[in-house]
Amino acid sequence: FVIDIRLPDINGLELCSWLKSHESSGHIPVIVMSEDSYLKVLAPSSHADDFIDHDKVMTELIEKINDCLADIRADGRAF
C-alpha cells in the first residue's frame, strides 16, 4: 500500500496502523508519504515499512516499492 498521511477522512498513519494490525493485511508492505518531512519520525509508530517525501515521489517511490518486494521475496512471504 502507498498511503498519503493527510487523507480527507482519516489520518494515513491511523490507516497504516489499522492495516498492520489485521492478519489479512498486516504482512503487506505500507509506504506512507507526506509533504511534511517532519512526519517521517511518526511513520515507525504506525508500523509503516517506509516513508517517502512528496517532493521525491516518483523516483523514490519506485525504489521503495522494489525494496519492499525484494524483502518479501527474501523472506519467502507471499501476498
Side-chain angles (χ1 to χ4, degrees):
F1 296 103
V2 178
I3 302 171
D4 195 315
I5 290 178
R6 295 180 192 224
L7 297 172
D9 296 326
I10 187 171
N11 180 297
L13 295 174
E14 292 173 15
L15 177 57
C16 179
S17 292
W18 185 87
L19 289 166
K20 289 298 196 171
S21 70
H22 286 80
E23 187 176 334
S24 61
S25 58
H27 65 285
I28 300 171
V30 177
I31 300 169
V32 293
M33 62 182 185
S34 176
E35 72 279 355
D36 186 350
S37 59
Y38 168 75
L39 294 174
K40 181 177 184 171
V41 299
L42 299 177
S45 67
S46 67
H47 305 288
D49 294 282
D50 218 326
F51 174 90
I52 190 166
D53 190 302
H54 271 199
D55 294 338
K56 302 172 186 173
V57 170
M58 293 316 288
T59 303
E60 282 194 42
L61 181 59
I62 292 168
E63 289 175 16
K64 292 188 183 282
I65 289 171
N66 285 330
D67 290 347
C68 284
L69 293 173
D71 290 345
I72 289 170
R73 288 185 196 110
D75 290 345
R77 294 182 285 164
F79 292 103

